[in-house]
């Protein structure tokens, strides 16, 4: 597998450069999660970093590479699933759709 040295900005990994495995397209993953174990033995804290372009493309239009920036909010979805336009929503729909009466009304 191919890897690329990628810089981290913000958070506890600020200023570090780590080798990140590249995917089949030659890009690092969009999010990078770092589990940090709890000193008291509780559940680990997960630090989330998001991929961002390292700079603007040059005159020839070549991409300068990637960096990871710290996301203090973390992963909002939490389930790690990809969100495609045709995917079902993450929240379950209401029991009775708006505008339709229940069977008990008549």
């Amino acid at each position: 597998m191919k890897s690329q040295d990628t810089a981290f900005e913000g958070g506890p990994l600020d200023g570090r450069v780590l080798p990140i495995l590249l995917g089949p397209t030659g890009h690092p993953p969009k999010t990078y999660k770092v589990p940090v174990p709890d000193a008291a033995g509780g559940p680990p804290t997960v630090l989330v970093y998001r991929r961002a372009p390292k700079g603007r493309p040059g005159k020839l239009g070549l991409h300068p590479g990637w960096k990871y920036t710290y996301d203090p909010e973390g992963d909002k979805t939490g389930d790690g699933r990809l969100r495609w336009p045709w995917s079902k929503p993450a929240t379950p729909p209401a029991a009775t759709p708006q505008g339709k009466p229940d069977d008990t009304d008549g």
Side-chain angles (χ1 to χ4, degrees), residues 27 52-58 61-66:
H27 297 283
K54 192 181 283 187
R56 294 179 36 184
L62 298 175
H63 193 275
W66 300 100

Side-chain angles (χ1 to χ4, degrees), residues 35-84:
V36 178
D38 188 27
T45 303
V46 178
L47 304 174
V48 178
Y49 286 85
R50 305 245 181 242
R51 183 180 73 185
K54 192 181 283 187
R56 294 179 36 184
K59 289 184 179 181
L60 299 177
L62 298 175
H63 193 275
W66 300 100
K67 65 181 178 181
Y68 280 107
T69 56
Y70 179 63
D71 184 8
E73 297 294 319
D75 193 12
K76 292 289 185 186
T77 59
D79 59 2
R81 291 180 35 207
L82 291 174
R83 299 289 177 212
W84 299 101

Side-chain angles (χ1 to χ4, degrees), residues 8 20 33 51 53 61 64 70 84 91 102:
F8 285 79
I20 305 295
K33 298 178 183 178
R51 183 180 73 185
Y70 179 63
W84 299 101
T91 58
D102 289 335

